[in-house]
C-alpha cells in the first residue's frame, strides 16, 4: 500500500516532493503491507527517503485517522557513491531494520573517514583466503571496522583495541572463521590489551566460528583460551547480535585480564576484572564448555540471548555465572538441550558467583534448568562458603527437564537445585514435565547441601508422572535451614507437594494447592523426624494424608496443628 506523507500530525499539507537516497524521484512511500496489517509501526520496517530541506518532522499516514512521526536526519554531503553502496533506497521488511540502520550509518561515516572496510585493505571474504592481515591493517587505519557479507578466514584472533568497533552485515552473513591450522589457544575475537585492560569496545552483527571441526577435531586447551568471543579486563564493552559457533571452550566469556583463571581460595577477589559489559541478542551453538559465561567480573548484563546444543556431555551449561563473578544480571534468555540452563557456581578454591539477578528465563529440555552451587562447600565436612550469597530470580520456566543424551554421568533431572547458597529469593517458577520421561522418583526442586535463608514462592507444576515431590528440603548432615515455601500449585503430577528431611529447622509452608498424582499419592506435606515446621493454607485433593510429621500421620492440617508444639 501507499503511505501518504504529511507535514503535520493532524491536518496540514501532503508532501509529494520525495526522493530516493540516490536523488531519483520517489512517487510515494510504499509498503508491502495492507493498512490493517500495518497496525503497528514496527510492522512496516524502516522506510528511508529524502524530503525537502524545510521539513524537520514529517508524518506517515497509515489510515484509521492516525499518523506516525518520521525521524529525520540531515544527510548533508553524503557522496552519491557511498549512498549507492549503502543500498538504502527502500527497506520493506522488519528483518532488515537493523541492516538499514547500520548501512545508513556506514554511508554517513565512510565519507568522513571514520569507517573502514576490511575489503579496502585486501580482505577477500571468499572462505579460502587468510584475511587476518586485512583486519590488522583496518584497525591501524580506523576505529570502526566494517566487515561486509562473506566468510573471512583468520589464522589467529582479531584483537580489537580500546575505543573501537567491529561490525558486519548480520549473523550468518558476515562470518569470521579460524583457519584449519589456527592454534587451539586462540580466540576468534578478543580485546587487544588484556594485561593492561581495554575500554569501550563494540562488537555486533557477525558470526564468530572457532572451527572446532577442523582436521583432527579440537577443544579448548585450558585457562580462558579457545573461546569464540572473550572480553578480558574490559571496561564498558558491548556485544550485540553476534553468533558464536563451534567454540573450543565458551561461546562468550567475560573474564579477568590474566589468561589463567585464578584459583586463590573462597573469598578471594581477583584484580584486573572486566566491568560494565552488555551482551544482547546473541546466540551460542555447539560450544565445548559453556555458551555464555562470566569469571572474575562485575556488573555484567546478558539479555535476550539463546544458548543451544553444547558439543560435549559434561557440565556444559547454557549460561554460567562462574568463579568470582559479582552482580551479574540475566534477562529474558533461553537455553536448550544443555546440562544446566542457568548455573551459578564456583570451584572449591574460588569465590562463588554472588549478587546475581535473573529476570525471566526459558529452559527447554535442559538436564537441570537452574543449578546453583558452590563445589567443595556441600557436605558436612566441608567449610561453609563465605561467598555464595544473594540470588534473586523471577519468572523462570523449566520445560521438559530431562537427561536424554548422557550428560554428566547420567545425572538426574531437576527443574531447580540450590546448594550452599545463602539468601536466595525465587518468585515464579513454572515447571512443565514430559509425561513420557522417567523422573525416577526424584524431586522437581531440591533445596540441599547447606543452603540457608531461601524463599521460594509461586511455583506451578504439571506433567510429571514419576516425580516424588514438588519441593524437597534435604535433611541430615548436609541439611538446609530457614526455608520459606509459599504459593505452590501442582496438577496431578507428584506423590507429595513438599518433603522435608530430618533435623531441618525453620521451614514455613504456606498456601499449597493442587491435586495428587493419579497413582502412588502419599502426603501433602511430609516432614521427617526432629524437623521444625509451620504449615498453613493447604487445599489439596487426592492425598491420603495432609501432613506426616515425626512419623505420625494427620488427616488434616487442623489435626496436625492441634498436636503439641505445632503451628498452623
Amino acid at each position: 500500500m501507499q503511505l501518504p506523507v504529511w507535514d503535520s500530525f493532524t491536518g496540514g499539507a501532503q508532501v509529494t516532493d520525495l526522493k530516493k537516497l540516490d536523488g531519483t524521484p520517489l512517487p510515494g512511500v510504499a509498503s508491502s503491507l495492507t493498512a490493517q496489517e500495518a497496525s503497528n509501526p514496527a510492522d512496516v520496517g524502516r522506510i528511508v527517503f529524502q524530503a525537502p530541506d524545510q521539513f524537520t518532522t514529517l508524518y506517515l499516514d497509515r489510515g484509521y485517522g492516525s499518523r506516525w512521526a518520521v525521524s529525520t536526519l540531515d544527510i548533508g554531503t553524503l557522496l552519491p557513491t557511498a549512498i549507492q553502496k549503502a543500498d538504502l533506497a527502500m527497506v520493506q521488511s522488519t528483518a532488515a531494520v537493523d541492516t538499514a540502520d547500520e548501512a545508513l550509518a556506514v554511508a554517513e561515516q565512510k565519507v568522513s573517514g571514520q569507517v573502514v572496510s576490511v575489503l579496502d585493505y585486501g580482505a577477500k571474504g571468499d572462505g579460502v583466503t587468510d584475511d587476518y592481515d586485512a583486519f590488522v591493517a583496518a584497525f591501524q587505519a580506523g576505529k570502526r571496522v566494517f566487515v561486509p557479507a562473506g566468510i573471512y578466514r583468520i589464522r589467529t584472533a582479531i584483537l580489537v583495541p580500546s575505543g573501537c568497533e567491529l561490525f558486519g552485515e548480520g549473523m550468518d552473513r558476515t562470518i569470521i572463521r579460524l583457519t584449519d591450522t589456527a592454534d587451539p589457544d586462540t580466540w576468534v575475537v578478543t580485546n587487544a590489551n588484556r594485561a593492561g585492560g581495554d575500554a569501550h569496545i563494540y562488537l555486533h552483527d557477525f558470526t564468530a566460528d572457532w572451527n572446532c571441526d577442523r582436521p583432527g577435531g579440537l577443544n579448548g586447551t585450558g585457562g580462558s583460551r579457545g573461546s569464540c568471543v572473550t572480553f578480558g579486563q574490559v571496561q564498558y564493552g558491548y556485544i550485540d547480535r553476534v553468533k558464536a559457533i563451534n567454540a573450543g571452550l565458551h561461546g562468550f566469556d567475560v573474564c579477568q585480564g590474566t589468561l589463567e583463571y585464578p584459583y586463590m581460595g573462597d573469598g578471594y577477589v581477583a584484580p584486573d576484572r572486566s566491568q560494565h559489559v552488555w551482551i544482547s541478542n546473541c546466540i551460542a551453538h555447539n560450544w565445548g564448555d559453556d555458551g555464555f559465561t562470566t569469571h572474575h567480573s562485575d556488573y555484567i548484563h546478558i539479555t535476550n540471548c539463546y544458548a543451544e546444543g553444547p558439543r560435549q556431555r559434561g557440565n556444559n551449561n547454557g549460561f554460567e555465572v562462574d568463579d568470582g563473578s559479582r552482580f551479574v544480571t540475566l534477562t529474558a534468555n533461553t537455553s536448550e538441550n544443555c546440562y544446566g540452563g542457568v548455573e551459578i557456581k564456583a570451584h572449591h578454591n574460588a569465590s562463588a558467583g554472588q549478587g546475581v539477578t535473573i529476570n525471566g528465563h526459558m529452559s527447554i529440555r535442559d538436564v537441570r534448568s537452574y543449578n546453583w552451587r558452590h563445589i567443595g562447600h556441600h557436605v558436612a565436612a566441608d567449610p561453609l562458603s563465605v561467598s555464595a550469597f544473594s540470588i534473586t530470580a523471577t519468572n523462570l520456566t523449566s520445560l521438559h527437564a530431562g537427561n536424554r543424551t548422557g550428560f554428566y554421568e547420567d545425572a538426574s533431572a531437576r527443574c531447580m537445585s540450590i546448594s550452599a547458597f545463602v539468601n536466595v529469593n525465587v518468585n515464579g517458577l513454572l515447571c512443565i514435565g514430559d509425561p513420557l520421561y522417567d523422573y525416577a522418583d526424584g524431586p522437581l526442586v531440591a533445596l540441599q547441601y547447606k543452603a540457608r535463608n531461601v524463599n521460594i514462592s509461586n511455583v506451578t507444576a504439571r506433567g510429571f508422572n514419576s516425580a516424588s515431590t514438588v519441593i524437597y528440603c534435604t535433611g541430615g548432615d548436609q541439611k538446609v535451614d530457614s526455608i520459606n515455601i509459599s504459593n505452590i500449585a501442582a496438577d496431578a503430577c507428584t506423590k507429595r507437594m513438599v518433603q522435608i528431611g530430618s533435623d531441618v529447622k525453620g521451614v514455613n509452608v504456606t498456601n499449597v494447592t493442587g491435586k495428587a498424582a493419579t497413582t502412588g499419592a502419599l502426603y501433602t506435606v511430609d516432614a521427617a523426624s526432629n524437623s521444625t515446621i509451620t504449615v498453613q493454607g493447604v487445599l489439596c485433593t487426592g492425598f491420603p494424608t495432609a501432613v506426616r510429621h515425626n512419623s505420625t500421620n494427620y488427616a488434616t492440617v487442623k489435626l496436625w496443628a492441634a498436636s503439641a508444639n505445632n503451628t498452623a
Side-chain angles (χ1 to χ4, degrees):
M1 69 174 186
Q2 294 290 325
L3 300 178
V5 179
W6 299 82
D7 63 1
S8 176
F9 182 69
T10 58
Q14 185 173 349
V15 180
T16 58
D17 186 14
L18 306 177
K19 298 178 182 179
K20 300 178 182 179
L21 288 190
D22 62 4
T24 59
L26 183 65
V29 178
S31 171
S32 60
L33 304 179
T34 66
Q36 186 172 0
E37 290 172 331
S39 58
N40 186 302
D43 294 334
V44 177
R46 301 293 174 88
I47 299 173
V48 184
F49 57 89
Q50 291 191 67
D53 291 340
Q54 68 266 30
F55 297 111
T56 58
T57 304
L58 294 172
Y59 299 87
L60 288 180
D61 189 346
R62 74 168 192 89
Y64 301 104
S66 62
R67 297 175 181 177
W68 294 323
V70 179
S71 298
T72 60
L73 175 69
D74 182 3
I75 60 176
T77 58
L78 282 174
L79 296 179
T81 55
I83 298 170
Q84 185 177 9
K85 186 172 182 179
D87 191 20
L88 283 177
M90 185 70 66
V91 179
Q92 294 183 340
S93 71
T94 56
V97 166
D98 294 324
T99 302
D101 287 345
E102 291 301 335
L104 181 58
V106 168
E108 292 176 292
Q109 298 294 337
K110 190 175 179 63
V111 295
S112 62
Q114 295 182 26
V115 167
V116 296
S117 170
V118 292
L119 297 181
D120 294 337
Y121 295 88
K124 301 299 182 183
D126 58 9
V128 178
T129 305
D130 182 353
D131 290 323
Y132 172 75
D133 292 336
F135 283 89
V136 173
F139 275 115
Q140 290 173 345
K143 290 184 174 294
R144 302 187 66 212
V145 173
F146 175 53
V147 189
I151 300 175
Y152 298 81
R153 305 300 295 266
I154 54 172
R155 62 182 179 272
T156 192
I158 297 170
L159 304 180
V160 182
S162 289
C164 288
E165 177 182 3
L166 176 68
F167 65 107
E169 290 194 45
M171 297 181 190
D172 298 330
R173 298 192 67 210
T174 297
I175 301 173
I176 304 173
R177 177 180 298 158
L178 290 180
T179 63
D180 291 348
T181 58
D183 194 310
D185 279 352
T186 196
W187 309 263
V188 181
V189 178
T190 190
N191 55 297
N193 186 12
R194 290 189 61 160
D198 287 295
H200 301 288
I201 294 176
Y202 184 21
L203 313 176
H204 58 104
D205 292 294
F206 61 87
T207 292
D209 183 356
W210 194 82
N211 188 22
C212 65
D213 294 327
R214 66 188 85 170
L218 291 173
N219 291 308
T221 59
S224 64
R225 307 167 184 85
S227 296
C228 284
V229 180
T230 294
F231 275 172
Q233 196 181 173
V234 170
Q235 308 286 319
Y236 301 99
Y238 310 88
I239 305 173
D240 190 29
R241 301 185 302 270
V242 173
K243 185 176 184 179
I245 61 175
N246 308 321
L249 189 64
H250 307 301
F252 300 85
D253 185 12
V254 181
C255 63
Q256 75 294 329
T258 58
L259 292 177
E260 305 297 333
Y261 297 127
Y263 297 105
M264 302 294 289
D266 183 19
Y268 176 73
V269 179
D272 303 331
R273 307 168 71 82
S274 286
Q275 294 183 319
H276 303 291
V277 174
W278 288 262
I279 302 176
S280 58
N281 307 306
C282 292
I283 296 174
H285 172 71
N286 198 39
W287 63 86
D289 194 351
D290 301 304
F292 297 80
T293 188
T294 64
H295 301 81
H296 306 287
S297 53
D298 305 318
Y299 322 124
I300 313 302
H301 301 263
I302 302 175
T303 303
N304 198 33
C305 292
Y306 176 59
E308 187 273 334
R311 184 173 61 259
Q312 299 185 34
R313 287 296 177 267
N315 183 38
N316 305 118
N317 305 295
F319 298 82
E320 183 177 87
V321 181
D322 208 343
D323 302 325
S325 300
R326 302 183 303 181
F327 314 115
V328 176
T329 299
L330 309 175
T331 302
N333 299 302
T334 300
S335 55
E336 187 169 3
N337 296 323
C338 306
Y339 175 69
V342 176
E343 179 166 82
I344 305 171
K345 87 157 200 333
H347 297 87
H348 73 281
N349 52 358
S351 296
Q354 60 181 265
V356 179
T357 300
I358 306 173
N359 300 312
H361 186 90
M362 175 74 71
S363 167
I364 305 172
R365 290 186 295 275
D366 298 321
V367 179
R368 298 198 169 183
S369 296
Y370 307 97
N371 192 29
W372 308 336
R373 59 194 179 125
H374 194 176
I375 300 168
H377 299 271
H378 290 175
V379 301
D382 292 338
L384 291 174
S385 173
V386 301
S387 58
F389 285 88
S390 303
I391 299 173
T392 299
T394 60
N395 300 326
L396 309 180
T397 297
S398 171
L399 180 61
H400 293 179
N403 195 349
R404 299 168 178 83
T405 56
F407 276 101
Y408 220 172
E409 300 178 352
D410 296 320
S412 54
R414 297 284 186 271
C415 297
M416 176 175 284
S417 178
I418 303 175
S419 308
F421 271 88
V422 181
N423 299 342
V424 178
N425 290 285
V426 177
N427 183 9
L429 172 61
L430 174 62
C431 305
I432 304 296
D434 178 356
L436 301 179
Y437 185 83
D438 183 7
Y439 290 94
D441 208 33
L444 307 186
V445 176
L447 310 179
Q448 60 189 18
Y449 293 126
K450 301 192 288 190
R452 307 184 306 285
N453 300 350
V454 177
N455 301 314
I456 182 166
S457 61
N458 298 307
V459 177
T460 303
R462 66 173 299 167
F464 298 86
N465 289 338
S466 53
S468 63
T469 184
V470 177
I471 298 178
Y472 177 51
C473 300
T474 301
D477 291 339
Q478 286 80 239
K479 66 185 179 68
V480 300
D481 279 319
S482 302
I483 310 295
N484 291 312
I485 300 169
S486 62
N487 302 335
I488 311 302
D491 182 15
C493 64
T494 58
K495 300 174 182 178
R496 304 170 181 84
M497 296 292 283
V498 178
Q499 184 176 4
I500 302 163
S502 62
D503 298 311
V504 177
K505 307 303 180 184
V507 178
N508 300 313
V509 180
T510 307
N511 298 337
V512 179
T513 62
K515 184 189 300 184
T518 54
T519 59
L522 296 171
Y523 319 99
T524 305
V525 178
D526 185 4
S529 60
N530 298 318
S531 58
T532 304
I533 65 172
T534 65
V535 181
Q536 299 181 41
V538 173
L539 297 172
C540 293
T541 61
F543 294 95
T545 302
V547 178
R548 182 173 75 159
H549 191 194
N550 291 326
S551 301
T552 301
N553 293 345
Y554 300 89
T556 67
V557 174
K558 185 176 180 180
L559 290 173
W560 168 81
S563 64
N565 301 318
N566 292 328
T567 302

